Amino acid sequence: MPVAGMLARGFLQGGHLDLGAMVEVLTRPRTLRILWFTLWMATLATVLTVVLGLPVAYALYRLRLPGRRLLRALVVMPFVLPSVVVGVAFRTLLASNGPLGFLGLDGSWVAILAALVFFNLAVVVRTVGGTWEGLDRRAEESAAALGAPPVRVLRTVTVPALLPSIVSAATVVFLFCATAFGVVLTLGGLRYGTVETEIYLLTTQFLDLRAASVLSILQLLAVVLLLTVAGRTRARKERALRRGAVTANLRAPARSDIPSLLVTGLVLVFVALPLAAMVGRSLQVGDGWGLDNYRALGNPDATTALLVPVWTALHNSFAAAVDATMIALTLGLIVSVLVSRRPRGRVGRRAVGALDGIVMLPLGISAVTVGFGFLITLDRPPLDLRSSAVLIPIAQAMVALPLVVRTLVPAMRAIDPRLRQAAATLGASPVRAALAVDLPLVWRPLLAATGFAFAVSLGEFGATSFLSRPQRPTLPVVIYQLISRPGPENFGMALAGSVVLCVVTVAVMGAVERLRVGSMGTF
């Protein structure tokens, strides 16, 4: 509904469809620069992420390393951080007075590239690593026994088995890089922009809804194409795993594994450095150290940039995230029950696949489009919600819904339908069968989905930046407001708020990791 409302506002003139705007907008020099920057930046970030992620996936999922679970958690941690926190961390690292300030990369496209790779490494490591861990090692051992050197074994046995996972991970990484908002807005400012940030500027600064609608349509078409590719490669991977899923026996590292271990070590340093710089800088007060920046979070007079204390914004974020989680879980359960069914007819299967694809669209549709679309569609009775506090949870729930569905559907599909049939034969009603059969098997993924939805809603910035009011801001919005204002006090409070948001998000996702079953819930 919000997407349709914004497209109608941009393309319908006097009740008639006007397609001439598309040609006019797409031929603007600025639009061409934005499209080119988005394309090559997302492509380069995807290539670097895959190149760095494959050796790390091998080291953490095929080798017996001390503290392997902790190392996996460190690599995954950046992906669950709010995008605005990632932007603040890299600004702190690359600023003129930061640890790497001598490189002169602050405000450059290299900073955006590094942040995108930092943010998406976990997608490649988890997706490819999970498949790599489940490969039957006997195929590689047989090839080696027949005289194939290690490089040939990798090229003829391992890579073909991993190719669906690699393509799926690369597709999702490209999607996330092309639609990045908070990272690009925080690090690029007005100098560099992607399609996502351009939609934001067109709607908030220039009120050019027609141009924003054209870019939204272009982005929507790209998202549909990428999700189709990812869905097909995911299906191929699932079929391959069903044919021969064997738990890999981890082995001790050998001399041939040194390159992978070196890359893994460099990646771990790359992941830890921005976060360490952000935490250290938040504790720096003048020429000394202290907790003044954290104490200022509760002082309403600490800055003139905000109308409420930062702790109040954190409370607003918690309240909105709880409401959004309840909405996303309710809708996610309904959709997951439908999508997890396996109709026998071709029409039914296509309908289920179409529903699954539609629910995944919020992963790539501009969050700005969602936020602004809600403002222009829910603007008249009986759904005039523009000034209502419930509008933010609704938008956040739409963003979190795909993650809830992706977490629950694999668990529901894994339930043997004969168990439900046996319960029905014994006289159980559908509700009783669901409570006795489904619930014991999906309660852990259900709790994991709850954590996913809460963490995503807590750090959501794109749609919330449109819908929040100055009297009721959320913490990500407050952090962006603080770093946009001059003064060391504002930046110090932004750092302290980012650390608090980072700790809360990581704690929630740590609980999710303990509750998630196997590889369920990964892309």
Side-chain angles (χ1 to χ4, degrees), residues 47-66:
V47 172
L48 287 177
T49 303
V50 173
V51 169
L52 292 175
L54 291 179
V56 178
Y58 171 78
L60 297 185
Y61 286 85
R62 296 287 274 187
L63 301 180
R64 188 182 297 109
L65 299 176

Side-chain angles (χ1 to χ4, degrees), residues 49-267:
T49 303
V50 173
V51 169
L52 292 175
L54 291 179
V56 178
Y58 171 78
L60 297 185
Y61 286 85
R62 296 287 274 187
L63 301 180
R64 188 182 297 109
L65 299 176
R68 187 164 52 94
R69 291 178 63 88
L70 177 61
L71 296 178
R72 288 183 183 180
L74 290 176
V75 173
V76 172
M77 182 173 58
F79 184 69
V80 304
L81 296 178
S83 59
V84 67
V85 172
V86 175
V88 170
F90 272 87
R91 282 193 60 174
T92 307
L93 179 66
L94 300 175
S96 57
N97 58 347
L100 299 183
F102 62 92
L103 297 176
L105 298 178
D106 187 24
S108 68
W109 63 267
V110 179
I112 300 175
L113 177 65
L116 292 177
V117 174
F118 171 90
F119 196 78
N120 291 289
L121 265 172
V123 177
V124 176
V125 174
R126 291 299 297 268
T127 304
V128 179
T131 303
W132 214 331
E133 188 178 36
L135 290 182
D136 190 348
R137 188 184 292 274
R138 292 174 296 183
E140 298 172 341
E141 294 172 348
S142 298
L146 293 174
V151 175
R152 187 172 183 182
V153 173
L154 179 67
R155 180 172 57 86
T156 60
V157 179
T158 307
V159 171
L162 295 177
L163 191 58
S165 295
I166 295 175
V167 173
S168 179
T171 303
V172 174
V173 170
F174 183 89
L175 175 65
F176 286 156
C177 292
T179 58
F181 177 65
V183 168
V184 179
L185 190 65
T186 305
L187 296 175
L190 298 178
R191 185 178 180 185
Y192 298 102
T194 60
V195 172
E196 188 89 348
T197 58
E198 184 68 7
I199 294 173
Y200 175 79
L201 291 177
L202 287 172
T203 50
T204 58
Q205 303 295 327
F206 304 110
L207 296 179
D208 191 351
L209 299 187
R210 178 173 295 188
S213 299
V214 171
L215 293 181
S216 297
I217 286 181
L218 190 63
Q219 187 181 58
L220 177 60
L221 293 176
V223 167
V224 171
L225 177 62
L226 291 172
L227 288 177
T228 301
V229 173
R232 290 185 176 181
T233 53
R234 185 174 65 244
R236 288 175 56 190
K237 181 181 73 172
E238 290 175 354
R239 288 196 296 269
L241 289 178
R242 283 197 296 266
R243 284 197 302 267
V246 178
T247 302
N249 293 318
L250 300 176
R251 64 174 180 82
R255 180 172 297 179
S256 60
D257 301 323
I258 292 179
S260 297
L261 295 175
L262 289 177
V263 173
T264 302
L266 292 175
V267 166

